[in-house]
Amino acid sequence: MAKGEGIFSKLIMGSEKTEEQARAALPSNRWELFWDILKGSFGKVIGLNLLVLLFCIPIFLLAIYNNATLSYYASQGTFSQGLGVGYPGITSLVGLSESLEVQVSYQYIFLPLFSLIGAVGLAGGAYVAKNMVWTEGIFVVSDFWRGIKKNFGTIMCVALFYSVLFFLLNLSISYLGLVYVVTTNKVIKVFSIISKVFAIVTIVFITMISMYMLTIGVTYKCTFWQLLKNSTILTWALLPRNIFFGAIALIPFILLLFKGAMSTVAISVIIILGISWFLLVWTNYSQWVFDEHINDKVEGAKKNRGIYEKVKNDNAKSLEKYKETLIHAGRSKLSTRPIRPIDEDKEELAILPTSFSRADLQKLQDSKNAIYKEIDDYVEEHKNDEQYKISEEDKKAEELKEKRIKEAEKALKINKKKKK
């Protein structure tokens, strides 16, 4: 390579990084991995969000319709008017708003049906997010459809499990609110408050269970009951940590609880990034949990996929492995060694008959030796050709590699002595 080409290459590619610089640039924990994915694959993250969002449109439309219905009742109702105003006449306003909330809650009966459509997008999205966290090369669209084929059955069960329970619990919360308002019995009022709090806590709990079921389902092969059991155990055992990371993952959707400009911002974020944010944050966190509590018990499971050990000392296991690989890899001579062209029309290697003798074996060996000699003769004849000459930059690279190999050998010998 000419000197000018080397300068031009450096201007484009930058200077060659040392081993330490290259390793330091790799993510060494889950936080670094997450930001590395966002910075390096932001376009893919947005593309993934749009693909999943496409299948979740019915669910969002149902939520928007229910919210609009509540807003309509609030603006058109007789809550701020005198008794008996309007037609038909309303003699009492006690429990009116709560009864309207119950009616709207019944509209979520369509949620299990719409969740089946959403499960298609979540099956593909969770699979792509897992591959991103594992830092595997991905093609968003093709991997998305591959994820649907592999995981739709599992994610469909998860979606039905969550949507049915959410519908029942949300309906019970509305009814309990109505009971609290219309009853005059203090015992029933206290019971309704306790039951309502319990229902809200249960929704939070099954949400985290379903989130674990989503990531476990695309990572391991297990039955639905194993999925439910393992997800419940992890949710309960790591509850404070789960609440913290679950809240981070659901930030775009939590913002919807605020009214005004904040809800508009939340909708914009969800359209651009919201679902991908949720999938990446929770998948990244889940893989951390799996490394701590599951992967050691699963045969063939790999730990810390996507992250790399920081090299703080010369006897770090990752560095020893790298050095051993470097020593055994060697340098390929194909770039500087002449290769004799193959003449397909010329039969050079003897073929053994079905029943062969010692003479046939000798004939085969002689033909091999003849080929080896021709190869050596060709190399000797063309070794000084211009195309096979080693450039100065290649020589320097070879010298640098030889130096690194010697340093690696020396370091490994020292470490072995220390261990003894």
Side-chain angles (χ1 to χ4, degrees), residues 181-317:
V181 172
V182 299
T183 188
T184 57
N185 190 306
K186 291 184 179 180
V187 175
I188 296 178
K189 281 182 177 289
V190 172
F191 177 77
S192 64
I193 293 174
I194 295 173
S195 300
K196 189 172 183 178
V197 172
F198 178 78
I200 294 172
V201 171
T202 304
I203 286 181
V204 174
F205 195 70
I206 66 164
T207 298
M208 286 190 291
I209 290 175
S210 300
M211 288 161 66
Y212 265 123
M213 292 174 76
L214 179 67
T215 49
I216 292 176
V218 298
T219 306
Y220 306 99
K221 290 183 179 180
C222 51
T223 65
F224 176 79
W225 296 113
Q226 290 174 330
L227 199 61
L228 179 59
K229 176 185 174 183
N230 294 333
S231 300
T232 304
I233 292 172
L234 289 175
T235 298
W236 182 254
L238 306 171
L239 191 58
R241 191 196 297 180
N242 291 334
I243 292 174
F244 175 74
F245 284 100
I248 293 177
L250 294 171
I251 280 176
F253 303 94
I254 293 174
L255 292 177
L256 286 174
L257 300 176
F258 299 93
K259 295 182 179 181
M262 188 61 71
S263 62
T264 304
V265 171
I267 293 172
S268 303
V269 171
I270 290 172
I271 293 174
I272 299 172
L273 190 66
I275 301 177
S276 291
W277 173 275
F278 160 72
L279 290 173
L280 284 174
V281 170
W282 189 255
T283 300
N284 196 23
Y285 166 66
S286 296
Q287 294 300 323
W288 178 26
V289 173
F290 300 160
D291 286 337
E292 284 189 348
H293 302 282
I294 296 180
N295 288 336
D296 286 332
K297 303 173 184 177
V298 178
E299 185 178 354
K302 297 180 180 179
K303 293 185 66 174
N304 299 322
R305 298 185 70 165
I307 60 177
Y308 302 85
E309 178 188 352
K310 282 287 186 187
V311 180
K312 296 181 179 178
N313 49 61
D314 291 335
N315 61 351
K317 290 183 179 179

Side-chain angles (χ1 to χ4, degrees), residues 138-157:
I138 63 164
F139 296 93
V140 174
V141 176
S142 60
D143 283 1
F144 183 82
W145 294 116
R146 188 178 296 111
I148 293 173
K149 292 177 183 178
K150 292 182 65 175
N151 304 304
F152 175 69
T154 302
I155 305 305
M156 177 190 69
C157 294

Side-chain angles (χ1 to χ4, degrees), residues 325-379:
T325 304
L326 181 65
I327 292 169
H328 294 299
R331 178 177 183 269
S332 173
K333 301 292 184 182
L334 294 179
S335 60
T336 58
R337 179 182 173 88
I339 302 175
R340 183 177 68 88
I342 299 174
D343 187 354
E344 296 180 354
D345 298 327
K346 183 180 178 181
E347 185 178 353
E348 297 176 327
L349 190 63
I351 301 175
L352 287 175
T354 305
S355 299
F356 55 87
S357 62
R358 185 180 295 274
D360 294 322
L361 290 173
Q362 185 60 45
K363 184 178 180 182
L364 175 61
Q365 187 61 43
D366 291 342
S367 65
K368 287 182 179 180
N369 292 336
I371 293 174
Y372 296 150
K373 186 177 184 306
E374 289 179 7
I375 291 173
D376 291 338
D377 291 343
Y378 185 87
V379 171

Side-chain angles (χ1 to χ4, degrees), residues 69-82:
T69 303
L70 282 175
S71 299
Y72 172 79
Y73 286 152
S75 62
Q76 300 297 321
T78 58
F79 305 108
S80 60
Q81 300 178 25

Side-chain angles (χ1 to χ4, degrees), residues 49 52-67 108 111 114 252-253 256 266-267 270-271 274-275:
N49 189 77
V52 181
L53 185 64
L54 181 67
F55 292 92
C56 293
I57 286 176
I59 297 175
F60 285 116
L61 289 179
L62 177 62
I64 292 170
Y65 176 76
N66 287 357
N67 186 63
Y108 278 108
L111 184 60
F114 293 162
F253 303 94
L256 286 174
I267 293 172
I270 290 172
I271 293 174
I275 301 177

